[in-house]
């Protein structure tokens, strides 16, 4: 599966005016240790740009103003970094998140994007009172994502990967580094120097690496597919990382009885390889945590039915039953978050 729009948006226009409030003087004080944080002087109405090098950064925002407001934050290649947060008139609330800044800023084989960190304020009535950007601590834990177009940071609306929506559910101290790339199979992901060889070099002890590759292994035989998964697991562990195998999201392909019990929906390829079954088997044999996203998304799509499930995918916009809408990607990211917590892969206090 290739993304259908490779263009990078050059500018973002907001239909809602953004309130930038005056910052209390204390907020500008130089910290006792470390570099001076970058602040609200780097923001204009609706957007902030920080001239920082590639790396991991903590962002603290103070939201609210003199009137009731509701603010969300996205950044880089359309990544959701902070869910919409309501504030009452006169109220100020502080929120934090950690963001991965890299080049290319979106898909690893895509365009480089713009240098530095770019944030966009959204929501129904955004109001930013203050912002501070500082380098994250060296021990900050990364969650790397290895996947395809259903996971990646999609460059153009309406396409949205679930990995693009996951960061908003993580608190400061956990960062998502999304190295998913459109059109990749286990074969191509291992072979391309910009993909797994790059990810592997970046893994530090304790980092999580979520692997969801199946949609494009359409002609990969079972022995090769299994061996590729085992190679990915071994390569992650070699660096001290913790692999997590993720079965693929279902395709929205209904039987006449309202179920998804068919090979197209459940990712059985043209050679008869049942990808989710192989992933489950490798996870069990190698002692790897498993997020069974196939089972979770199958249950959800079937419960919504033929009509209700259209909004999860791009059926209405593109007659696309494989790629998710922003809504669907958000719902699926929530499923991943819930599994990360339930399996104690991340602490409950690390998510929102």
């Amino acid at each position: 599966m290739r993304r259908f729009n490779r263009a990078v948006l050059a500018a973002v226009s907001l239909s809602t005016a953004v309130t930038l409030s005056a910052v209390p003087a204390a907020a500008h004080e130089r910290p006792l240790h470390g570099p001076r944080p970058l602040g609200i002087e780097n923001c204009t109405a609706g957007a902030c740009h920080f001239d920082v090098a590639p790396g991991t950064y903590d962002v603290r925002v103070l939201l609210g103003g003199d009137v009731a407001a509701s603010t969300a934050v996205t950044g880089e290649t359309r990544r959701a970094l902070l869910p919409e947060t309501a504030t009452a008139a006169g109220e100020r609330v502080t929120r934090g998140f950690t963001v991965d800044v890299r080049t290319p800023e979106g898909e690893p084989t895509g365009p480089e994007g713009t240098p530095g960190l770019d944030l966009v304020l959204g929501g129904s009535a955004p109001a930013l009172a203050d912002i501070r950007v500082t380098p994250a601590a060296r021990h900050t834990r990364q969650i790397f994502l290895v996947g395809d177009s259903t996971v990646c940071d999609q460059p153009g609306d309406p396409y949205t990967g679930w990995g693009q929506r996951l960061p908003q559910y993580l608190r400061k101290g956990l960062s998502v580094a999304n190295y998913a790339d459109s059109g990749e199979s286990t074969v191509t992901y291992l072979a391309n120097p910009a993909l797994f060889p790059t990810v592997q070099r970046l893994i530090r002890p304790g980092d999580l690496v979520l692997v969801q590759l199946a949609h494009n292994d359409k002609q990969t035989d079972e022995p090769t597919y299994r061996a590729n998964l085992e190679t990915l697991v071994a390569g992650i562990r070699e660096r001290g990382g913790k692999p997590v195998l993720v079965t693929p999201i279902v395709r929205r392909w209904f039987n006449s009885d309202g179920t998804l019990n068919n090979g197209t929906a459940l990712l059985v390829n043209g050679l008869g390889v049942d990808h989710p079954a192989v992933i489950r088997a490798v996870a069990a044999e190698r002692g790897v945590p498993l997020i069974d996203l196939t089972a979770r998304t199958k249950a959800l799509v079937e419960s919504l039915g033929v009509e209700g499930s259209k909004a999860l995918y791009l059926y209405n916009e593109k007659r696309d039953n494989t790629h998710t809408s922003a809504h669907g990607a958000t719902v699926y990211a929530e499923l991943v978050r819930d599994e990360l917590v339930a399996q104690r892969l991340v602490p409950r206090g690390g998510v929102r």
Side-chain angles (χ1 to χ4, degrees):
M1 298 171 294
R2 270 287 154 193
R3 54 187 173 272
F4 292 89
N5 184 353
R6 296 182 62 97
V8 175
L9 298 179
V12 178
S13 62
L14 295 178
S15 59
T16 306
V18 178
T19 300
L20 295 179
S21 305
V23 184
H28 288 293
E29 292 178 0
R30 183 182 297 272
L32 294 177
H33 303 286
R36 183 185 181 93
L38 300 172
I40 202 165
E41 67 276 5
N42 294 278
C43 301
T44 58
C48 304
H49 173 77
F50 301 93
D51 289 321
V52 296
T56 307
Y57 294 88
D58 289 334
V59 180
R60 180 185 67 81
V61 293
L62 183 66
L63 305 177
D66 295 335
V67 299
S70 188
T71 311
V73 181
T74 59
E76 298 297 88
T77 305
R78 302 176 58 237
R79 298 181 217 160
L81 298 173
L82 186 70
E84 189 159 354
T85 302
T87 49
E91 181 186 17
R92 301 288 194 278
V93 299
T94 300
R95 295 289 185 268
F97 55 88
T98 301
V99 60
D100 173 57
V101 177
R102 62 182 184 270
T103 302
E105 71 177 41
E107 296 178 84
T109 63
E112 288 194 358
T114 55
L117 171 61
D118 291 288
L119 302 177
V120 177
L121 304 176
S124 58
L128 178 68
D130 191 23
I131 186 168
R132 286 292 176 263
V133 176
T134 54
R138 290 176 61 87
H139 62 269
T140 296
R141 195 180 188 195
Q142 296 271 32
I143 301 178
F144 289 93
L145 304 182
V146 168
D148 53 35
S149 58
T150 66
V151 183
C152 74
D153 288 350
Q154 288 278 2
D157 185 67
Y159 294 92
T160 312
W162 62 254
Q164 204 162 12
R165 306 298 289 182
L166 182 62
Q168 66 185 316
Y169 297 120
L170 302 178
R171 297 184 186 275
K172 186 169 73 72
L174 283 172
S175 171
V176 173
N178 190 353
Y179 281 80
D181 197 70
S182 292
E184 306 300 341
S185 66
T186 58
V187 176
T188 60
Y189 204 93
L190 283 166
N192 190 330
L195 299 174
F196 191 66
T198 294
V199 172
Q200 188 181 28
R201 288 195 300 271
L202 297 172
I203 297 169
R204 294 176 300 184
D207 286 341
L208 289 179
V209 185
L210 277 57
V211 179
Q212 185 212 280
L213 287 168
H215 278 272
N216 299 300
D217 281 279
K218 298 173 183 177
Q219 296 301 318
T220 308
D221 61 50
E222 184 166 336
T224 302
Y225 185 66
R226 176 183 291 269
N228 288 345
L229 292 176
E230 292 172 343
T231 298
L232 288 164
V233 167
I236 294 163
R237 285 176 167 168
E238 180 182 308
R239 296 285 296 174
K242 188 177 185 67
V244 180
L245 292 179
V246 183
T247 58
I249 67 169
V250 294
R251 296 189 180 100
R252 186 189 159 277
W253 198 264
F254 281 92
N255 293 335
S256 59
D257 63 359
T259 70
L260 300 180
N261 295 324
N262 62 78
T264 299
L266 299 182
L267 282 296
V268 178
N269 76 6
L271 301 179
V273 179
D274 185 333
H275 292 111
V278 176
I279 295 169
R280 294 176 189 123
V282 171
E285 293 164 7
R286 300 293 174 175
V288 178
L290 173 75
I291 295 178
D292 199 340
L293 205 50
T294 303
R296 295 291 303 272
T297 57
K298 177 179 187 291
L300 176 60
V301 171
E302 288 181 341
S303 71
L304 292 172
V306 173
E307 290 301 317
S309 62
K310 287 179 178 178
L312 295 174
Y313 291 82
L314 293 175
Y315 179 84
N316 293 323
E317 299 87 345
K318 302 287 185 178
R319 293 297 187 267
D320 186 333
N321 291 306
T322 297
H323 296 93
T324 48
S325 62
H327 168 65
T330 302
V331 171
Y332 288 177
E334 290 173 351
L335 296 178
V336 174
R337 173 203 60 190
D338 293 347
E339 285 293 320
L340 289 173
V341 172
Q343 298 189 40
R344 300 182 179 180
L345 296 168
V346 300
R348 186 171 298 275
V351 303
R352 54 177 146 240

